[in-house]
Amino acid sequence: MLTLAGRAPAQVFSGVCHGTLGELYQGPLRAGGAVDIALVSFPVDRHSWVYFTPGARPPDPSPLGEKAATAVRLFLDRFGLTLPPGRWSVHSDLRVGVGMASSTADIVATLRCLFRVFGVPYDVDTVIAVLAAIERADSVFLDEFALHLSGRHRVVRRLGTAVGFHTAFVAEPGTVDTAAVTPVLLRHYRRRAEEYGRCLTDLLKGFSAADPAAVARAATTSAVLSQEALPKRSFDAVLAHREEFGADGVFVAHTGSLIGYLFTGRPAPSAKDELSAFFHSLGHQCSFAQGGYG
């Protein structure tokens, strides 16, 4: 195939991975005799892209960032491969440090690109092994919801693709050091173990029934419980106006800065106007995105 200029396009390999809007649930789950932090990440239709274009020069890993560059090294070591000459480039519409799983998505996109460069079939076990060597991770390597132990890199239960939402959300200023707050969260989980247990049961029932409204109610409960441990300044106002806007629930990035509304149906343009004005009155720019899969 020739371009309009009469030249064949350069061969390009690409890897793409979605990010998250925080979690629909974050709380305790007993695993191996101990309580660990479990997540049901909230996938969003926003992505990280990684490209590799073969060429004459040795590849410079600097466009990838430190974690993704480490993922390249671990992948090559695992398969005994050598990266050919070429050029890396990246793009992302995931904000860093707010709870959108940007670093995990970068790593997964890089690995997906490498699978294509070498013609190796995509292997989730390889992805999990590489992630486990680099960071605590969200389940963005799966294209479905999952109950996931992020520290242990273990998928407890796959929850399918039948649930989806429209969202309106903002990111509050500041970041959260996940490692630093882990002891705070575990103490909170012990105090509220029964409430978290009921919340997770309701959430899993909602997924089993493919009932987004039930999932939204459980996500709201998880967000309310999270507010006791890692409060968000806008939370009380957002929760108080949920019914006014006809939202089915509230979600947060439990160890991030995102907060927003869940809608089982698409908000009308007039509702988007009102939501934007409301969040602006709180000092934030509102964004809209589709989350989940249904």
PDB file of all heavy atoms in Angstrom, residues 224-247:
ATOM      1  N   VAL A 224     -18.752   6.050  50.822  1.00  0.00           N
ATOM      2  CA  VAL A 224     -19.082   6.617  52.141  1.00  0.00           C
ATOM      3  C   VAL A 224     -18.131   6.067  53.198  1.00  0.00           C
ATOM      4  O   VAL A 224     -17.614   6.809  54.050  1.00  0.00           O
ATOM      5  CB  VAL A 224     -20.547   6.326  52.500  1.00  0.00           C
ATOM      6  CG1 VAL A 224     -20.834   6.681  53.956  1.00  0.00           C
ATOM      7  CG2 VAL A 224     -21.489   7.103  51.581  1.00  0.00           C
ATOM      8  N   LEU A 225     -17.883   4.770  53.169  1.00  0.00           N
ATOM      9  CA  LEU A 225     -16.956   4.168  54.122  1.00  0.00           C
ATOM     10  C   LEU A 225     -15.542   4.718  53.940  1.00  0.00           C
ATOM     11  O   LEU A 225     -14.824   4.972  54.909  1.00  0.00           O
ATOM     12  CB  LEU A 225     -16.959   2.643  53.959  1.00  0.00           C
ATOM     13  CG  LEU A 225     -18.211   1.921  54.453  1.00  0.00           C
ATOM     14  CD1 LEU A 225     -18.242   0.485  53.933  1.00  0.00           C
ATOM     15  CD2 LEU A 225     -18.270   1.938  55.977  1.00  0.00           C
ATOM     16  N   SER A 226     -15.142   4.914  52.713  1.00  0.00           N
ATOM     17  CA  SER A 226     -13.810   5.463  52.431  1.00  0.00           C
ATOM     18  C   SER A 226     -13.647   6.869  52.992  1.00  0.00           C
ATOM     19  O   SER A 226     -12.560   7.255  53.441  1.00  0.00           O
ATOM     20  CB  SER A 226     -13.567   5.482  50.922  1.00  0.00           C
ATOM     21  OG  SER A 226     -12.366   6.138  50.602  1.00  0.00           O
ATOM     22  N   GLN A 227     -14.725   7.633  52.985  1.00  0.00           N
ATOM     23  CA  GLN A 227     -14.675   9.005  53.467  1.00  0.00           C
ATOM     24  C   GLN A 227     -14.259   9.073  54.931  1.00  0.00           C
ATOM     25  O   GLN A 227     -13.658  10.055  55.377  1.00  0.00           O
ATOM     26  CB  GLN A 227     -16.044   9.664  53.249  1.00  0.00           C
ATOM     27  CG  GLN A 227     -16.144  11.113  53.661  1.00  0.00           C
ATOM     28  CD  GLN A 227     -15.362  12.063  52.766  1.00  0.00           C
ATOM     29  OE1 GLN A 227     -14.761  11.644  51.761  1.00  0.00           O
ATOM     30  NE2 GLN A 227     -15.351  13.343  53.116  1.00  0.00           N
ATOM     31  N   GLU A 228     -14.543   8.037  55.712  1.00  0.00           N
ATOM     32  CA  GLU A 228     -14.161   8.020  57.120  1.00  0.00           C
ATOM     33  C   GLU A 228     -12.653   7.925  57.297  1.00  0.00           C
ATOM     34  O   GLU A 228     -12.101   8.412  58.289  1.00  0.00           O
ATOM     35  CB  GLU A 228     -14.833   6.837  57.823  1.00  0.00           C
ATOM     36  CG  GLU A 228     -16.345   6.906  57.841  1.00  0.00           C
ATOM     37  CD  GLU A 228     -16.949   5.672  58.499  1.00  0.00           C
ATOM     38  OE1 GLU A 228     -16.199   4.906  59.144  1.00  0.00           O
ATOM     39  OE2 GLU A 228     -18.171   5.471  58.364  1.00  0.00           O
ATOM     40  N   ALA A 229     -11.978   7.280  56.342  1.00  0.00           N
ATOM     41  CA  ALA A 229     -10.539   7.057  56.476  1.00  0.00           C
ATOM     42  C   ALA A 229      -9.721   8.083  55.699  1.00  0.00           C
ATOM     43  O   ALA A 229      -8.733   8.622  56.208  1.00  0.00           O
ATOM     44  CB  ALA A 229     -10.179   5.648  56.005  1.00  0.00           C
ATOM     45  N   LEU A 230     -10.122   8.340  54.451  1.00  0.00           N
ATOM     46  CA  LEU A 230      -9.384   9.266  53.584  1.00  0.00           C
ATOM     47  C   LEU A 230     -10.384  10.252  52.978  1.00  0.00           C
ATOM     48  O   LEU A 230     -10.830  10.081  51.846  1.00  0.00           O
ATOM     49  CB  LEU A 230      -8.646   8.494  52.477  1.00  0.00           C
ATOM     50  CG  LEU A 230      -7.567   7.521  52.943  1.00  0.00           C
ATOM     51  CD1 LEU A 230      -7.025   6.721  51.776  1.00  0.00           C
ATOM     52  CD2 LEU A 230      -6.436   8.268  53.642  1.00  0.00           C
ATOM     53  N   PRO A 231     -10.756  11.278  53.744  1.00  0.00           N
ATOM     54  CA  PRO A 231     -11.843  12.164  53.321  1.00  0.00           C
ATOM     55  C   PRO A 231     -11.482  13.030  52.112  1.00  0.00           C
ATOM     56  O   PRO A 231     -10.331  13.410  51.918  1.00  0.00           O
ATOM     57  CB  PRO A 231     -12.093  13.032  54.555  1.00  0.00           C
ATOM     58  CG  PRO A 231     -10.825  12.977  55.336  1.00  0.00           C
ATOM     59  CD  PRO A 231     -10.226  11.627  55.075  1.00  0.00           C
ATOM     60  N   LYS A 232     -12.521  13.322  51.325  1.00  0.00           N
ATOM     61  CA  LYS A 232     -12.426  14.248  50.206  1.00  0.00           C
ATOM     62  C   LYS A 232     -13.263  15.480  50.536  1.00  0.00           C
ATOM     63  O   LYS A 232     -14.385  15.360  51.040  1.00  0.00           O
ATOM     64  CB  LYS A 232     -12.907  13.574  48.920  1.00  0.00           C
ATOM     65  CG  LYS A 232     -11.954  12.476  48.465  1.00  0.00           C
ATOM     66  CD  LYS A 232     -12.482  11.743  47.259  1.00  0.00           C
ATOM     67  CE  LYS A 232     -11.426  10.781  46.723  1.00  0.00           C
ATOM     68  NZ  LYS A 232     -10.913   9.832  47.737  1.00  0.00           N
ATOM     69  N   ARG A 233     -12.744  16.637  50.214  1.00  0.00           N
ATOM     70  CA  ARG A 233     -13.391  17.888  50.614  1.00  0.00           C
ATOM     71  C   ARG A 233     -14.761  18.066  49.973  1.00  0.00           C
ATOM     72  O   ARG A 233     -15.669  18.634  50.567  1.00  0.00           O
ATOM     73  CB  ARG A 233     -12.487  19.077  50.274  1.00  0.00           C
ATOM     74  CG  ARG A 233     -11.349  19.280  51.272  1.00  0.00           C
ATOM     75  CD  ARG A 233     -10.429  20.396  50.849  1.00  0.00           C
ATOM     76  NE  ARG A 233      -9.561  19.978  49.748  1.00  0.00           N
ATOM     77  CZ  ARG A 233      -8.632  20.752  49.203  1.00  0.00           C
ATOM     78  NH1 ARG A 233      -8.475  21.997  49.617  1.00  0.00           N
ATOM     79  NH2 ARG A 233      -7.871  20.296  48.226  1.00  0.00           N
ATOM     80  N   SER A 234     -14.923  17.571  48.750  1.00  0.00           N
ATOM     81  CA  SER A 234     -16.181  17.773  48.030  1.00  0.00           C
ATOM     82  C   SER A 234     -17.211  16.702  48.328  1.00  0.00           C
ATOM     83  O   SER A 234     -18.352  16.792  47.842  1.00  0.00           O
ATOM     84  CB  SER A 234     -15.915  17.783  46.514  1.00  0.00           C
ATOM     85  OG  SER A 234     -14.958  18.739  46.160  1.00  0.00           O
ATOM     86  N   PHE A 235     -16.858  15.695  49.097  1.00  0.00           N
ATOM     87  CA  PHE A 235     -17.698  14.504  49.178  1.00  0.00           C
ATOM     88  C   PHE A 235     -19.093  14.805  49.714  1.00  0.00           C
ATOM     89  O   PHE A 235     -20.097  14.359  49.147  1.00  0.00           O
ATOM     90  CB  PHE A 235     -17.033  13.427  50.036  1.00  0.00           C
ATOM     91  CG  PHE A 235     -17.786  12.130  50.024  1.00  0.00           C
ATOM     92  CD1 PHE A 235     -17.605  11.220  49.000  1.00  0.00           C
ATOM     93  CD2 PHE A 235     -18.708  11.823  51.020  1.00  0.00           C
ATOM     94  CE1 PHE A 235     -18.308  10.027  48.962  1.00  0.00           C
ATOM     95  CE2 PHE A 235     -19.414  10.632  50.995  1.00  0.00           C
ATOM     96  CZ  PHE A 235     -19.208   9.738  49.966  1.00  0.00           C
ATOM     97  N   ASP A 236     -19.189  15.525  50.820  1.00  0.00           N
ATOM     98  CA  ASP A 236     -20.496  15.770  51.430  1.00  0.00           C
ATOM     99  C   ASP A 236     -21.431  16.484  50.466  1.00  0.00           C
ATOM    100  O   ASP A 236     -22.620  16.140  50.360  1.00  0.00           O
ATOM    101  CB  ASP A 236     -20.338  16.579  52.720  1.00  0.00           C
ATOM    102  CG  ASP A 236     -19.695  15.782  53.839  1.00  0.00           C
ATOM    103  OD1 ASP A 236     -19.652  14.543  53.736  1.00  0.00           O
ATOM    104  OD2 ASP A 236     -19.208  16.409  54.804  1.00  0.00           O
ATOM    105  N   ALA A 237     -20.898  17.473  49.749  1.00  0.00           N
ATOM    106  CA  ALA A 237     -21.734  18.209  48.791  1.00  0.00           C
ATOM    107  C   ALA A 237     -22.155  17.315  47.636  1.00  0.00           C
ATOM    108  O   ALA A 237     -23.317  17.340  47.198  1.00  0.00           O
ATOM    109  CB  ALA A 237     -20.978  19.429  48.273  1.00  0.00           C
ATOM    110  N   VAL A 238     -21.233  16.504  47.131  1.00  0.00           N
ATOM    111  CA  VAL A 238     -21.553  15.612  46.016  1.00  0.00           C
ATOM    112  C   VAL A 238     -22.617  14.598  46.437  1.00  0.00           C
ATOM    113  O   VAL A 238     -23.599  14.369  45.712  1.00  0.00           O
ATOM    114  CB  VAL A 238     -20.269  14.900  45.525  1.00  0.00           C
ATOM    115  CG1 VAL A 238     -20.614  13.795  44.524  1.00  0.00           C
ATOM    116  CG2 VAL A 238     -19.321  15.908  44.885  1.00  0.00           C
ATOM    117  N   LEU A 239     -22.455  14.008  47.605  1.00  0.00           N
ATOM    118  CA  LEU A 239     -23.435  13.028  48.073  1.00  0.00           C
ATOM    119  C   LEU A 239     -24.798  13.679  48.303  1.00  0.00           C
ATOM    120  O   LEU A 239     -25.842  13.110  47.941  1.00  0.00           O
ATOM    121  CB  LEU A 239     -22.929  12.377  49.365  1.00  0.00           C
ATOM    122  CG  LEU A 239     -23.787  11.242  49.927  1.00  0.00           C
ATOM    123  CD1 LEU A 239     -23.823  10.062  48.952  1.00  0.00           C
ATOM    124  CD2 LEU A 239     -23.265  10.795  51.289  1.00  0.00           C
ATOM    125  N   ALA A 240     -24.804  14.879  48.869  1.00  0.00           N
ATOM    126  CA  ALA A 240     -26.071  15.552  49.191  1.00  0.00           C
ATOM    127  C   ALA A 240     -26.882  15.897  47.948  1.00  0.00           C
ATOM    128  O   ALA A 240     -28.116  15.970  48.006  1.00  0.00           O
ATOM    129  CB  ALA A 240     -25.786  16.816  49.998  1.00  0.00           C
ATOM    130  N   HIS A 241     -26.211  16.102  46.811  1.00  0.00           N
ATOM    131  CA  HIS A 241     -26.910  16.511  45.585  1.00  0.00           C
ATOM    132  C   HIS A 241     -27.145  15.341  44.624  1.00  0.00           C
ATOM    133  O   HIS A 241     -27.613  15.553  43.496  1.00  0.00           O
ATOM    134  CB  HIS A 241     -26.127  17.613  44.872  1.00  0.00           C
ATOM    135  CG  HIS A 241     -26.186  18.941  45.556  1.00  0.00           C
ATOM    136  ND1 HIS A 241     -25.417  19.239  46.659  1.00  0.00           N
ATOM    137  CD2 HIS A 241     -26.943  20.036  45.308  1.00  0.00           C
ATOM    138  CE1 HIS A 241     -25.678  20.473  47.054  1.00  0.00           C
ATOM    139  NE2 HIS A 241     -26.605  20.978  46.257  1.00  0.00           N
ATOM    140  N   ARG A 242     -26.856  14.137  45.040  1.00  0.00           N
ATOM    141  CA  ARG A 242     -26.987  12.977  44.142  1.00  0.00           C
ATOM    142  C   ARG A 242     -28.411  12.853  43.592  1.00  0.00           C
ATOM    143  O   ARG A 242     -28.610  12.725  42.372  1.00  0.00           O
ATOM    144  CB  ARG A 242     -26.597  11.691  44.872  1.00  0.00           C
ATOM    145  CG  ARG A 242     -26.688  10.447  43.983  1.00  0.00           C
ATOM    146  CD  ARG A 242     -26.495   9.170  44.772  1.00  0.00           C
ATOM    147  NE  ARG A 242     -27.554   8.935  45.731  1.00  0.00           N
ATOM    148  CZ  ARG A 242     -28.741   8.424  45.430  1.00  0.00           C
ATOM    149  NH1 ARG A 242     -29.033   8.122  44.163  1.00  0.00           N
ATOM    150  NH2 ARG A 242     -29.658   8.222  46.360  1.00  0.00           N
ATOM    151  N   GLU A 243     -29.414  12.883  44.468  1.00  0.00           N
ATOM    152  CA  GLU A 243     -30.788  12.706  44.004  1.00  0.00           C
ATOM    153  C   GLU A 243     -31.233  13.876  43.133  1.00  0.00           C
ATOM    154  O   GLU A 243     -31.975  13.689  42.152  1.00  0.00           O
ATOM    155  CB  GLU A 243     -31.722  12.549  45.205  1.00  0.00           C
ATOM    156  CG  GLU A 243     -31.516  11.249  45.972  1.00  0.00           C
ATOM    157  CD  GLU A 243     -32.548  11.062  47.068  1.00  0.00           C
ATOM    158  OE1 GLU A 243     -33.488  11.883  47.144  1.00  0.00           O
ATOM    159  OE2 GLU A 243     -32.420  10.094  47.841  1.00  0.00           O
ATOM    160  N   GLU A 244     -30.783  15.059  43.471  1.00  0.00           N
ATOM    161  CA  GLU A 244     -31.137  16.241  42.664  1.00  0.00           C
ATOM    162  C   GLU A 244     -30.734  16.061  41.211  1.00  0.00           C
ATOM    163  O   GLU A 244     -31.467  16.460  40.287  1.00  0.00           O
ATOM    164  CB  GLU A 244     -30.462  17.470  43.265  1.00  0.00           C
ATOM    165  CG  GLU A 244     -30.621  18.743  42.437  1.00  0.00           C
ATOM    166  CD  GLU A 244     -29.760  19.874  42.979  1.00  0.00           C
ATOM    167  OE1 GLU A 244     -29.420  19.853  44.186  1.00  0.00           O
ATOM    168  OE2 GLU A 244     -29.416  20.774  42.188  1.00  0.00           O
ATOM    169  N   PHE A 245     -29.567  15.453  40.986  1.00  0.00           N
ATOM    170  CA  PHE A 245     -29.080  15.266  39.620  1.00  0.00           C
ATOM    171  C   PHE A 245     -29.545  13.947  39.008  1.00  0.00           C
ATOM    172  O   PHE A 245     -29.220  13.649  37.858  1.00  0.00           O
ATOM    173  CB  PHE A 245     -27.548  15.328  39.592  1.00  0.00           C
ATOM    174  CG  PHE A 245     -26.994  16.700  39.876  1.00  0.00           C
ATOM    175  CD1 PHE A 245     -26.156  16.918  40.952  1.00  0.00           C
ATOM    176  CD2 PHE A 245     -27.325  17.772  39.068  1.00  0.00           C
ATOM    177  CE1 PHE A 245     -25.645  18.176  41.214  1.00  0.00           C
ATOM    178  CE2 PHE A 245     -26.824  19.042  39.318  1.00  0.00           C
ATOM    179  CZ  PHE A 245     -25.986  19.245  40.397  1.00  0.00           C
ATOM    180  N   GLY A 246     -30.281  13.161  39.758  1.00  0.00           N
ATOM    181  CA  GLY A 246     -30.760  11.894  39.237  1.00  0.00           C
ATOM    182  C   GLY A 246     -29.678  10.850  39.064  1.00  0.00           C
ATOM    183  O   GLY A 246     -29.835   9.908  38.265  1.00  0.00           O
ATOM    184  N   ALA A 247     -28.599  10.988  39.802  1.00  0.00           N
ATOM    185  CA  ALA A 247     -27.507  10.020  39.703  1.00  0.00           C
ATOM    186  C   ALA A 247     -27.868   8.748  40.461  1.00  0.00           C
ATOM    187  O   ALA A 247     -28.551   8.781  41.482  1.00  0.00           O
ATOM    188  CB  ALA A 247     -26.214  10.604  40.261  1.00  0.00           C
TER     189      ALA A 247
END
